[in-house]
């Protein structure tokens, strides 16, 4: 089966610009998560979708970040306007509903804000 | 909130040796998972151990879980150069949300 796909793999943008990251989960996985790793620090939770609904968005750093999952399939994470501290690797993961299932992570999008 | 904390932070070993990493956490969990990240690549799920399990094996990997001490260990036996990577533990609670530790950098020298 196809894994979790993230696009783009790298993005370099200027401060103040907008960037949209995309994640295509494994087909049939209702859970979709966004995480990020900033400056080699811990991997931090951003938010969790169950199908198209936001189950938990407590990890979103501020209102410059907007995530959507229309139709319960792929998800986008928009950063507008981007700031220098947003640089890092953004990971998307999906899993089946239910405890005891491991997550499948995508390769991540490396975002550099200059 | 749950947080895995690995120890040690960096480990350098010779090919063929075993590598052991530890992880501690603070609250009750449903399961604990270990992930690997090769340089510049995504996170790869290695193994999941449920809170009612004490030990689990997968190939050259052995994971233990001690819920009384809130700790877990990951053992990689007969290490290979390809095992060079960062290893993260992550705990999952009732909300199925993962809390990651800082990660261990393992370097296997050929």
């Amino acid at each position: 089966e196809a894994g979790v796909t993230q696009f783009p793999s790298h993005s370099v943008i200027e401060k103040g610009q907008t960037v949209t990251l995309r994640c295509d989960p494994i087909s049939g996985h209702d859970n979709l998560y966004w995480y990020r790793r900033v400056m080699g620090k811990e991997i931090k939770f951003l938010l969790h979708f169950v199908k198209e609904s936001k189950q938990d968005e407590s990890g979103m750093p501020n209102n410059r970040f907007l995530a959507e999952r229309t139709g319960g399939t792929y998800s986008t994470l928009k950063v507008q306007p981007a700031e220098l501290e947003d640089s890092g690797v953004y990971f998307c993961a999906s899993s089946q509903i239910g405890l005891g299932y491991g997550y499948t992570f995508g390769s991540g999008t490396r975002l550099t804000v200059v | 909130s749950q947080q895995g904390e690995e120890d040690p932070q960096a480990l350098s070993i010779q090919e063929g040796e075993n590598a052991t990493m530890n992880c501690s956490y603070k609250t009750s969990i449903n399961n604990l998972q270990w992930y690997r990240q090769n340089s510049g690549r995504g996170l790869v799920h290695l193994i999941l151990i449920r809170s009612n399990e004490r030990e689990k094996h997968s190939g050259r990997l052995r994971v233990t879980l001690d819920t009384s001490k809130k700790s877990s260990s990951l053992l990689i036996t007969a290490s290979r150069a390809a095992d060079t990577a960062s290893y993260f533990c992550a705990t999952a609670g009732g909300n199925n949300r993962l809390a990651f530790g800082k990660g261990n950098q393992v370097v296997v020298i050929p």
Side-chain angles (χ1 to χ4, degrees):
Chain A
E1 65 179 0
V4 176
T5 306
Q6 291 188 245
F7 181 84
S9 56
H10 294 85
S11 181
V12 181
I13 61 171
E14 293 184 350
K15 177 182 172 181
Q17 289 186 322
T18 298
V19 63
T20 300
L21 314 180
R22 172 168 170 149
C23 169
D24 286 74
I26 291 174
S27 177
H29 280 194
D30 288 337
N31 284 320
L32 187 149
Y33 306 83
W34 284 97
Y35 288 81
R36 73 171 180 177
R37 189 180 187 199
V38 174
M39 293 295 289
K41 296 183 179 177
E42 299 105 285
I43 300 168
K44 293 286 193 181
F45 168 83
L46 294 178
L47 87 158
H48 169 205
F49 283 99
V50 176
K51 296 184 180 179
E52 67 277 5
S53 300
K54 290 178 185 175
Q55 186 76 12
D56 181 354
E57 53 183 331
S58 60
M60 295 287 262
N62 51 61
N63 59 10
R64 295 185 294 103
F65 290 76
L66 175 64
E68 295 179 324
R69 192 183 181 193
T70 307
T73 54
Y74 71 90
S75 174
T76 58
L77 179 63
K78 181 192 288 188
V79 185
Q80 178 182 31
E83 298 289 345
L84 299 178
E85 64 265 24
D86 300 332
S87 296
V89 181
Y90 289 76
F91 293 102
C92 173
S94 71
S95 74
Q96 297 180 57
I97 292 289
L99 299 172
Y101 289 104
Y103 292 19
T104 301
F105 278 81
S107 297
T109 294
R110 183 174 295 277
L111 175 64
T112 302
V113 183
V114 297
Chain B
S1 61
Q2 302 148 4
Q3 182 171 3
E5 299 180 358
E6 293 89 359
D7 172 54
Q9 297 290 316
L11 183 63
S12 214
I13 57 174
Q14 294 289 330
E15 197 166 31
E17 292 181 339
N18 296 340
T20 300
M21 288 155 273
N22 297 307
C23 168
S24 61
Y25 56 93
K26 297 176 181 176
T27 60
S28 61
I29 62 172
N30 282 302
N31 64 70
L32 185 144
Q33 304 174 32
W34 284 90
Y35 289 83
R36 182 186 71 222
Q37 183 187 21
N38 292 87
S39 178
R41 298 188 180 181
L43 289 166
V44 175
H45 179 255
L46 296 176
I47 196 165
L48 179 153
I49 185 166
R50 294 182 174 82
S51 60
N52 61 353
E53 296 176 311
R54 293 296 167 259
E55 187 172 314
K56 203 162 184 179
H57 297 255
S58 177
R60 294 183 295 112
L61 304 179
R62 173 177 170 259
V63 170
T64 63
L65 179 64
D66 187 336
T67 52
S68 66
K69 296 180 180 177
K70 291 186 167 55
S71 67
S72 173
S73 68
L74 172 66
L75 168 68
I76 305 172
T77 61
S79 63
R80 304 168 182 169
D83 294 330
T84 294
S86 293
Y87 291 83
F88 296 87
C89 78
T91 53
N95 58 11
N96 213 24
R97 163 180 159 179
L98 289 181
F100 282 87
K102 295 182 176 66
N104 274 281
Q105 178 62 44
V106 174
V107 176
V108 181
I109 302 166

mmCIF file of all heavy atoms in Angstrom, chain A residues 33 95 98-105, chain B residues 4 6 23 29-36 44-50 63 65 72 74 87-93 96-101:
data_model
loop_
_atom_site.group_PDB
_atom_site.id
_atom_site.type_symbol
_atom_site.label_atom_id
_atom_site.label_comp_id
_atom_site.label_asym_id
_atom_site.label_seq_id
_atom_site.Cartn_x
_atom_site.Cartn_y
_atom_site.Cartn_z
ATOM 1 N N TYR A 33 -2.508 13.264 11.725
ATOM 2 C CA TYR A 33 -1.824 14.111 12.691
ATOM 3 C C TYR A 33 -0.781 14.969 11.986
ATOM 4 O O TYR A 33 -0.167 14.541 11.021
ATOM 5 C CB TYR A 33 -1.094 13.266 13.741
ATOM 6 C CG TYR A 33 -1.957 12.258 14.461
ATOM 7 C CD1 TYR A 33 -2.226 11.019 13.896
ATOM 8 C CD2 TYR A 33 -2.477 12.534 15.720
ATOM 9 C CE1 TYR A 33 -2.999 10.086 14.563
ATOM 10 C CE2 TYR A 33 -3.253 11.598 16.393
ATOM 11 C CZ TYR A 33 -3.511 10.382 15.801
ATOM 12 O OH TYR A 33 -4.280 9.453 16.472
ATOM 13 N N SER A 95 -3.151 7.016 11.006
ATOM 14 C CA SER A 95 -3.330 5.716 11.668
ATOM 15 C C SER A 95 -4.790 5.321 11.590
ATOM 16 O O SER A 95 -5.672 6.147 11.314
ATOM 17 C CB SER A 95 -2.872 5.774 13.131
ATOM 18 O OG SER A 95 -3.799 6.484 13.924
ATOM 19 N N GLY A 98 -8.544 3.580 16.776
ATOM 20 C CA GLY A 98 -8.368 2.566 17.816
ATOM 21 C C GLY A 98 -6.980 2.620 18.397
ATOM 22 O O GLY A 98 -6.011 2.949 17.706
ATOM 23 N N LEU A 99 -6.903 2.328 19.670
ATOM 24 C CA LEU A 99 -5.610 2.315 20.335
ATOM 25 C C LEU A 99 -4.838 1.071 19.935
ATOM 26 O O LEU A 99 -5.420 0.069 19.554
ATOM 27 C CB LEU A 99 -5.818 2.344 21.851
ATOM 28 C CG LEU A 99 -6.551 3.583 22.374
ATOM 29 C CD1 LEU A 99 -6.871 3.419 23.843
ATOM 30 C CD2 LEU A 99 -5.718 4.826 22.142
ATOM 31 N N GLY A 100 -3.539 1.162 20.006
ATOM 32 C CA GLY A 100 -2.736 -0.009 19.684
ATOM 33 C C GLY A 100 -2.242 -0.045 18.255
ATOM 34 O O GLY A 100 -1.537 -0.958 17.863
ATOM 35 N N TYR A 101 -2.615 0.964 17.471
ATOM 36 C CA TYR A 101 -2.107 1.038 16.110
ATOM 37 C C TYR A 101 -0.961 2.039 16.055
ATOM 38 O O TYR A 101 -1.065 3.155 16.537
ATOM 39 C CB TYR A 101 -3.203 1.492 15.145
ATOM 40 C CG TYR A 101 -4.273 0.456 14.909
ATOM 41 C CD1 TYR A 101 -5.524 0.567 15.507
ATOM 42 C CD2 TYR A 101 -4.031 -0.650 14.090
ATOM 43 C CE1 TYR A 101 -6.503 -0.373 15.299
ATOM 44 C CE2 TYR A 101 -5.011 -1.594 13.876
ATOM 45 C CZ TYR A 101 -6.241 -1.461 14.476
ATOM 46 O OH TYR A 101 -7.210 -2.397 14.258
ATOM 47 N N GLY A 102 0.121 1.605 15.426
ATOM 48 C CA GLY A 102 1.225 2.531 15.226
ATOM 49 C C GLY A 102 0.880 3.536 14.150
ATOM 50 O O GLY A 102 -0.027 3.331 13.355
ATOM 51 N N TYR A 103 1.579 4.615 14.194
ATOM 52 C CA TYR A 103 1.386 5.651 13.202
ATOM 53 C C TYR A 103 2.296 5.385 12.007
ATOM 54 O O TYR A 103 3.403 4.879 12.163
ATOM 55 C CB TYR A 103 1.768 7.014 13.745
ATOM 56 C CG TYR A 103 0.905 7.588 14.838
ATOM 57 C CD1 TYR A 103 0.067 6.820 15.598
ATOM 58 C CD2 TYR A 103 0.982 8.949 15.113
ATOM 59 C CE1 TYR A 103 -0.686 7.382 16.610
ATOM 60 C CE2 TYR A 103 0.232 9.525 16.112
ATOM 61 C CZ TYR A 103 -0.602 8.726 16.861
ATOM 62 O OH TYR A 103 -1.334 9.283 17.853
ATOM 63 N N THR A 104 1.871 5.802 10.846
ATOM 64 C CA THR A 104 2.738 5.825 9.671
ATOM 65 C C THR A 104 3.022 7.275 9.360
ATOM 66 O O THR A 104 2.086 8.041 9.120
ATOM 67 C CB THR A 104 2.079 5.140 8.471
ATOM 68 O OG1 THR A 104 1.769 3.795 8.811
ATOM 69 C CG2 THR A 104 3.033 5.147 7.278
ATOM 70 N N PHE A 105 4.279 7.617 9.415
ATOM 71 C CA PHE A 105 4.666 9.001 9.175
ATOM 72 C C PHE A 105 5.102 9.196 7.731
ATOM 73 O O PHE A 105 5.635 8.281 7.089
ATOM 74 C CB PHE A 105 5.840 9.394 10.079
ATOM 75 C CG PHE A 105 5.430 9.789 11.465
ATOM 76 C CD1 PHE A 105 5.170 8.826 12.424
ATOM 77 C CD2 PHE A 105 5.294 11.131 11.805
ATOM 78 C CE1 PHE A 105 4.783 9.194 13.709
ATOM 79 C CE2 PHE A 105 4.910 11.503 13.088
ATOM 80 C CZ PHE A 105 4.649 10.523 14.039
ATOM 81 N N GLY B 4 8.062 11.357 26.516
ATOM 82 C CA GLY B 4 9.147 10.400 26.590
ATOM 83 C C GLY B 4 10.463 11.138 26.690
ATOM 84 O O GLY B 4 10.642 12.174 26.072
ATOM 85 N N GLU B 6 14.457 10.192 26.316
ATOM 86 C CA GLU B 6 15.423 9.137 26.079
ATOM 87 C C GLU B 6 16.734 9.448 26.788
ATOM 88 O O GLU B 6 17.108 10.576 27.017
ATOM 89 C CB GLU B 6 15.719 8.997 24.580
ATOM 90 C CG GLU B 6 14.565 8.499 23.759
ATOM 91 C CD GLU B 6 13.707 9.644 23.289
ATOM 92 O OE1 GLU B 6 13.999 10.807 23.616
ATOM 93 O OE2 GLU B 6 12.731 9.368 22.587
ATOM 94 N N CYS B 23 14.078 5.167 27.932
ATOM 95 C CA CYS B 23 13.070 6.205 27.816
ATOM 96 C C CYS B 23 12.242 6.201 29.082
ATOM 97 O O CYS B 23 11.855 5.132 29.567
ATOM 98 C CB CYS B 23 12.205 5.909 26.594
ATOM 99 S SG CYS B 23 10.704 6.880 26.458
ATOM 100 N N ILE B 29 -0.074 5.530 30.366
ATOM 101 C CA ILE B 29 -0.088 5.419 28.920
ATOM 102 C C ILE B 29 -0.933 4.230 28.472
ATOM 103 O O ILE B 29 -1.201 3.312 29.251
ATOM 104 C CB ILE B 29 1.341 5.252 28.347
ATOM 105 C CG1 ILE B 29 1.967 3.960 28.881
ATOM 106 C CG2 ILE B 29 2.190 6.468 28.673
ATOM 107 C CD1 ILE B 29 3.287 3.605 28.229
ATOM 108 N N ASN B 30 -1.320 4.245 27.229
ATOM 109 C CA ASN B 30 -1.942 3.085 26.601
ATOM 110 C C ASN B 30 -0.917 2.238 25.867
ATOM 111 O O ASN B 30 -1.006 1.023 25.834
ATOM 112 C CB ASN B 30 -3.040 3.519 25.637
ATOM 113 C CG ASN B 30 -4.303 3.906 26.362
ATOM 114 O OD1 ASN B 30 -4.862 3.106 27.105
ATOM 115 N ND2 ASN B 30 -4.730 5.127 26.175
ATOM 116 N N ASN B 31 0.014 2.907 25.254
ATOM 117 C CA ASN B 31 1.096 2.181 24.603
ATOM 118 C C ASN B 31 2.296 3.098 24.457
ATOM 119 O O ASN B 31 2.203 4.320 24.628
ATOM 120 C CB ASN B 31 0.666 1.614 23.242
ATOM 121 C CG ASN B 31 0.306 2.687 22.229
ATOM 122 O OD1 ASN B 31 1.171 3.414 21.744
ATOM 123 N ND2 ASN B 31 -0.981 2.797 21.901
ATOM 124 N N LEU B 32 3.420 2.494 24.159
ATOM 125 C CA LEU B 32 4.657 3.235 23.925
ATOM 126 C C LEU B 32 5.229 2.742 22.612
ATOM 127 O O LEU B 32 5.223 1.540 22.328
ATOM 128 C CB LEU B 32 5.646 3.015 25.075
ATOM 129 C CG LEU B 32 6.944 3.821 25.035
ATOM 130 C CD1 LEU B 32 7.372 4.220 26.450
ATOM 131 C CD2 LEU B 32 8.054 3.073 24.343
ATOM 132 N N GLN B 33 5.698 3.666 21.822
ATOM 133 C CA GLN B 33 6.181 3.321 20.478
ATOM 134 C C GLN B 33 7.603 3.848 20.300
ATOM 135 O O GLN B 33 7.975 4.870 20.869
ATOM 136 C CB GLN B 33 5.254 3.940 19.428
ATOM 137 C CG GLN B 33 3.794 3.537 19.606
ATOM 138 C CD GLN B 33 2.853 4.260 18.673
ATOM 139 O OE1 GLN B 33 3.222 4.599 17.558
ATOM 140 N NE2 GLN B 33 1.625 4.489 19.116
ATOM 141 N N TRP B 34 8.357 3.137 19.500
ATOM 142 C CA TRP B 34 9.697 3.584 19.130
ATOM 143 C C TRP B 34 9.731 3.850 17.637
ATOM 144 O O TRP B 34 9.177 3.083 16.834
ATOM 145 C CB TRP B 34 10.741 2.535 19.505
ATOM 146 C CG TRP B 34 11.051 2.495 20.972
ATOM 147 C CD1 TRP B 34 10.427 1.730 21.921
ATOM 148 C CD2 TRP B 34 12.055 3.241 21.663
ATOM 149 N NE1 TRP B 34 10.984 1.972 23.161
ATOM 150 C CE2 TRP B 34 11.983 2.880 23.028
ATOM 151 C CE3 TRP B 34 13.010 4.185 21.266
ATOM 152 C CZ2 TRP B 34 12.838 3.431 23.997
ATOM 153 C CZ3 TRP B 34 13.850 4.712 22.218
ATOM 154 C CH2 TRP B 34 13.767 4.349 23.571
ATOM 155 N N TYR B 35 10.400 4.950 17.287
ATOM 156 C CA TYR B 35 10.527 5.358 15.900
ATOM 157 C C TYR B 35 11.989 5.610 15.581
ATOM 158 O O TYR B 35 12.797 5.930 16.458
ATOM 159 C CB TYR B 35 9.734 6.646 15.622
ATOM 160 C CG TYR B 35 8.240 6.456 15.641
ATOM 161 C CD1 TYR B 35 7.535 6.460 16.839
ATOM 162 C CD2 TYR B 35 7.536 6.264 14.458
ATOM 163 C CE1 TYR B 35 6.163 6.284 16.857
ATOM 164 C CE2 TYR B 35 6.164 6.084 14.463
ATOM 165 C CZ TYR B 35 5.483 6.093 15.667
ATOM 166 O OH TYR B 35 4.122 5.915 15.684
ATOM 167 N N ARG B 36 12.309 5.499 14.309
ATOM 168 C CA ARG B 36 13.653 5.802 13.822
ATOM 169 C C ARG B 36 13.555 6.878 12.751
ATOM 170 O O ARG B 36 12.630 6.872 11.938
ATOM 171 C CB ARG B 36 14.310 4.553 13.235
ATOM 172 C CG ARG B 36 15.739 4.755 12.746
ATOM 173 C CD ARG B 36 16.266 3.513 12.042
ATOM 174 N NE ARG B 36 15.626 3.326 10.762
ATOM 175 C CZ ARG B 36 15.222 2.150 10.301
ATOM 176 N NH1 ARG B 36 15.379 1.060 11.027
ATOM 177 N NH2 ARG B 36 14.667 2.064 9.116
ATOM 178 N N VAL B 44 10.141 6.404 10.920
ATOM 179 C CA VAL B 44 9.735 5.035 10.633
ATOM 180 C C VAL B 44 9.323 4.353 11.929
ATOM 181 O O VAL B 44 10.079 4.326 12.892
ATOM 182 C CB VAL B 44 10.886 4.253 9.970
ATOM 183 C CG1 VAL B 44 10.488 2.786 9.781
ATOM 184 C CG2 VAL B 44 11.251 4.881 8.635
ATOM 185 N N HIS B 45 8.113 3.827 11.935
ATOM 186 C CA HIS B 45 7.620 3.119 13.115
ATOM 187 C C HIS B 45 8.357 1.804 13.266
ATOM 188 O O HIS B 45 8.425 1.007 12.320
ATOM 189 C CB HIS B 45 6.118 2.869 12.968
ATOM 190 C CG HIS B 45 5.523 2.132 14.104
ATOM 191 N ND1 HIS B 45 5.165 0.812 14.031
ATOM 192 C CD2 HIS B 45 5.221 2.524 15.357
ATOM 193 C CE1 HIS B 45 4.668 0.423 15.180
ATOM 194 N NE2 HIS B 45 4.684 1.456 16.007
ATOM 195 N N LEU B 46 8.938 1.579 14.435
ATOM 196 C CA LEU B 46 9.703 0.361 14.668
ATOM 197 C C LEU B 46 8.897 -0.689 15.415
ATOM 198 O O LEU B 46 8.799 -1.835 14.991
ATOM 199 C CB LEU B 46 10.967 0.679 15.471
ATOM 200 C CG LEU B 46 11.997 1.581 14.787
ATOM 201 C CD1 LEU B 46 13.144 1.880 15.738
ATOM 202 C CD2 LEU B 46 12.504 0.959 13.497
ATOM 203 N N ILE B 47 8.327 -0.268 16.518
ATOM 204 C CA ILE B 47 7.679 -1.261 17.374
ATOM 205 C C ILE B 47 6.746 -0.562 18.349
ATOM 206 O O ILE B 47 6.996 0.586 18.749
ATOM 207 C CB ILE B 47 8.748 -2.094 18.121
ATOM 208 C CG1 ILE B 47 8.156 -3.370 18.714
ATOM 209 C CG2 ILE B 47 9.489 -1.256 19.141
ATOM 210 C CD1 ILE B 47 9.221 -4.385 19.127
ATOM 211 N N LEU B 48 5.670 -1.215 18.690
ATOM 212 C CA LEU B 48 4.696 -0.686 19.648
ATOM 213 C C LEU B 48 4.527 -1.703 20.755
ATOM 214 O O LEU B 48 4.385 -2.903 20.485
ATOM 215 C CB LEU B 48 3.363 -0.433 18.940
ATOM 216 C CG LEU B 48 2.174 0.117 19.761
ATOM 217 C CD1 LEU B 48 1.245 0.911 18.832
ATOM 218 C CD2 LEU B 48 1.393 -0.986 20.451
ATOM 219 N N ILE B 49 4.550 -1.230 21.970
ATOM 220 C CA ILE B 49 4.331 -2.122 23.112
ATOM 221 C C ILE B 49 3.180 -1.558 23.931
ATOM 222 O O ILE B 49 3.145 -0.364 24.239
ATOM 223 C CB ILE B 49 5.622 -2.308 23.946
ATOM 224 C CG1 ILE B 49 5.399 -3.349 25.052
ATOM 225 C CG2 ILE B 49 6.135 -0.984 24.508
ATOM 226 C CD1 ILE B 49 6.703 -3.841 25.685
ATOM 227 N N ARG B 50 2.196 -2.396 24.221
ATOM 228 C CA ARG B 50 1.030 -1.956 24.957
ATOM 229 C C ARG B 50 1.333 -1.894 26.446
ATOM 230 O O ARG B 50 2.257 -2.540 26.932
ATOM 231 C CB ARG B 50 -0.146 -2.881 24.689
ATOM 232 C CG ARG B 50 -0.641 -2.830 23.242
ATOM 233 C CD ARG B 50 -1.842 -3.730 23.017
ATOM 234 N NE ARG B 50 -2.404 -3.576 21.694
ATOM 235 C CZ ARG B 50 -1.939 -4.163 20.601
ATOM 236 N NH1 ARG B 50 -0.877 -4.935 20.690
ATOM 237 N NH2 ARG B 50 -2.508 -3.956 19.432
ATOM 238 N N VAL B 63 12.170 -4.588 22.932
ATOM 239 C CA VAL B 63 11.659 -3.481 23.727
ATOM 240 C C VAL B 63 11.131 -4.014 25.041
ATOM 241 O O VAL B 63 10.475 -5.060 25.074
ATOM 242 C CB VAL B 63 10.528 -2.738 22.976
ATOM 243 C CG1 VAL B 63 9.827 -1.758 23.897
ATOM 244 C CG2 VAL B 63 11.078 -2.009 21.778
ATOM 245 N N LEU B 65 9.101 -2.739 28.733
ATOM 246 C CA LEU B 65 8.281 -1.693 29.320
ATOM 247 C C LEU B 65 8.052 -2.014 30.786
ATOM 248 O O LEU B 65 7.624 -3.117 31.121
ATOM 249 C CB LEU B 65 6.934 -1.580 28.596
ATOM 250 C CG LEU B 65 5.956 -0.533 29.130
ATOM 251 C CD1 LEU B 65 6.525 0.875 28.960
ATOM 252 C CD2 LEU B 65 4.606 -0.655 28.422
ATOM 253 N N SER B 72 11.020 2.568 29.555
ATOM 254 C CA SER B 72 11.112 1.588 28.479
ATOM 255 C C SER B 72 12.548 1.575 27.975
ATOM 256 O O SER B 72 13.284 2.559 28.118
ATOM 257 C CB SER B 72 10.168 1.975 27.340
ATOM 258 O OG SER B 72 10.351 1.137 26.214
ATOM 259 N N LEU B 74 14.992 0.216 24.524
ATOM 260 C CA LEU B 74 15.074 -0.345 23.174
ATOM 261 C C LEU B 74 16.472 -0.908 23.006
ATOM 262 O O LEU B 74 17.457 -0.187 23.181
ATOM 263 C CB LEU B 74 14.813 0.727 22.122
ATOM 264 C CG LEU B 74 15.062 0.305 20.664
ATOM 265 C CD1 LEU B 74 14.060 -0.760 20.229
ATOM 266 C CD2 LEU B 74 15.000 1.510 19.723
ATOM 267 N N TYR B 87 16.721 7.845 17.185
ATOM 268 C CA TYR B 87 15.662 6.968 17.681
ATOM 269 C C TYR B 87 14.835 7.736 18.705
ATOM 270 O O TYR B 87 15.370 8.369 19.614
ATOM 271 C CB TYR B 87 16.259 5.709 18.311
ATOM 272 C CG TYR B 87 16.898 4.800 17.287
ATOM 273 C CD1 TYR B 87 18.199 5.042 16.853
ATOM 274 C CD2 TYR B 87 16.195 3.742 16.728
ATOM 275 C CE1 TYR B 87 18.789 4.234 15.885
ATOM 276 C CE2 TYR B 87 16.777 2.930 15.772
ATOM 277 C CZ TYR B 87 18.070 3.187 15.352
ATOM 278 O OH TYR B 87 18.645 2.386 14.391
ATOM 279 N N PHE B 88 13.529 7.670 18.538
ATOM 280 C CA PHE B 88 12.616 8.397 19.414
ATOM 281 C C PHE B 88 11.640 7.426 20.064
ATOM 282 O O PHE B 88 11.125 6.527 19.400
ATOM 283 C CB PHE B 88 11.784 9.405 18.618
ATOM 284 C CG PHE B 88 12.580 10.497 17.973
ATOM 285 C CD1 PHE B 88 13.131 10.320 16.715
ATOM 286 C CD2 PHE B 88 12.768 11.708 18.615
ATOM 287 C CE1 PHE B 88 13.869 11.321 16.111
ATOM 288 C CE2 PHE B 88 13.499 12.723 18.021
ATOM 289 C CZ PHE B 88 14.044 12.518 16.775
ATOM 290 N N CYS B 89 11.379 7.653 21.332
ATOM 291 C CA CYS B 89 10.260 6.961 21.933
ATOM 292 C C CYS B 89 9.089 7.935 21.986
ATOM 293 O O CYS B 89 9.276 9.158 22.005
ATOM 294 C CB CYS B 89 10.585 6.425 23.322
ATOM 295 S SG CYS B 89 10.572 7.648 24.641
ATOM 296 N N ALA B 90 7.900 7.397 21.957
ATOM 297 C CA ALA B 90 6.702 8.227 22.000
ATOM 298 C C ALA B 90 5.629 7.488 22.774
ATOM 299 O O ALA B 90 5.429 6.288 22.577
ATOM 300 C CB ALA B 90 6.214 8.548 20.590
ATOM 301 N N THR B 91 4.961 8.208 23.641
ATOM 302 C CA THR B 91 3.908 7.596 24.444
ATOM 303 C C THR B 91 2.547 8.024 23.919
ATOM 304 O O THR B 91 2.377 9.155 23.437
ATOM 305 C CB THR B 91 4.032 8.001 25.917
ATOM 306 O OG1 THR B 91 4.101 9.430 26.014
ATOM 307 C CG2 THR B 91 5.287 7.405 26.534
ATOM 308 N N ALA B 92 1.590 7.126 24.007
ATOM 309 C CA ALA B 92 0.225 7.402 23.574
ATOM 310 C C ALA B 92 -0.715 7.177 24.746
ATOM 311 O O ALA B 92 -0.693 6.132 25.385
ATOM 312 C CB ALA B 92 -0.164 6.492 22.418
ATOM 313 N N GLY B 93 -1.517 8.187 25.020
ATOM 314 C CA GLY B 93 -2.470 8.082 26.108
ATOM 315 C C GLY B 93 -3.869 7.863 25.595
ATOM 316 O O GLY B 93 -4.073 7.403 24.483
ATOM 317 N N ASN B 96 -4.879 9.105 22.177
ATOM 318 C CA ASN B 96 -4.134 8.539 21.046
ATOM 319 C C ASN B 96 -3.139 9.517 20.441
ATOM 320 O O ASN B 96 -2.676 9.336 19.336
ATOM 321 C CB ASN B 96 -5.088 8.032 19.957
ATOM 322 C CG ASN B 96 -4.526 6.817 19.251
ATOM 323 O OD1 ASN B 96 -3.707 6.093 19.799
ATOM 324 N ND2 ASN B 96 -4.944 6.590 18.035
ATOM 325 N N ARG B 97 -2.860 10.564 21.161
ATOM 326 C CA ARG B 97 -1.900 11.547 20.685
ATOM 327 C C ARG B 97 -0.517 11.152 21.181
ATOM 328 O O ARG B 97 -0.350 10.778 22.327
ATOM 329 C CB ARG B 97 -2.332 12.898 21.228
ATOM 330 C CG ARG B 97 -1.337 13.994 21.208
ATOM 331 C CD ARG B 97 -2.006 15.232 21.793
ATOM 332 N NE ARG B 97 -1.048 16.170 22.268
ATOM 333 C CZ ARG B 97 -1.373 17.339 22.800
ATOM 334 N NH1 ARG B 97 -2.634 17.664 22.904
ATOM 335 N NH2 ARG B 97 -0.446 18.152 23.212
ATOM 336 N N LEU B 98 0.478 11.221 20.321
ATOM 337 C CA LEU B 98 1.827 10.824 20.681
ATOM 338 C C LEU B 98 2.598 11.982 21.293
ATOM 339 O O LEU B 98 2.543 13.099 20.785
ATOM 340 C CB LEU B 98 2.592 10.326 19.457
ATOM 341 C CG LEU B 98 2.192 8.980 18.872
ATOM 342 C CD1 LEU B 98 3.086 8.652 17.682
ATOM 343 C CD2 LEU B 98 2.275 7.886 19.907
ATOM 344 N N ALA B 99 3.326 11.676 22.365
ATOM 345 C CA ALA B 99 4.237 12.647 22.951
ATOM 346 C C ALA B 99 5.640 12.086 22.783
ATOM 347 O O ALA B 99 5.951 11.005 23.277
ATOM 348 C CB ALA B 99 3.914 12.853 24.426
ATOM 349 N N PHE B 100 6.483 12.808 22.061
ATOM 350 C CA PHE B 100 7.812 12.324 21.714
ATOM 351 C C PHE B 100 8.859 12.816 22.695
ATOM 352 O O PHE B 100 8.754 13.902 23.273
ATOM 353 C CB PHE B 100 8.204 12.837 20.327
ATOM 354 C CG PHE B 100 7.566 12.090 19.198
ATOM 355 C CD1 PHE B 100 6.320 12.466 18.732
ATOM 356 C CD2 PHE B 100 8.212 11.023 18.598
ATOM 357 C CE1 PHE B 100 5.723 11.784 17.691
ATOM 358 C CE2 PHE B 100 7.626 10.335 17.551
ATOM 359 C CZ PHE B 100 6.372 10.725 17.098
ATOM 360 N N GLY B 101 9.906 12.036 22.818
ATOM 361 C CA GLY B 101 11.080 12.457 23.545
ATOM 362 C C GLY B 101 12.036 13.190 22.625
ATOM 363 O O GLY B 101 11.754 13.399 21.444
#
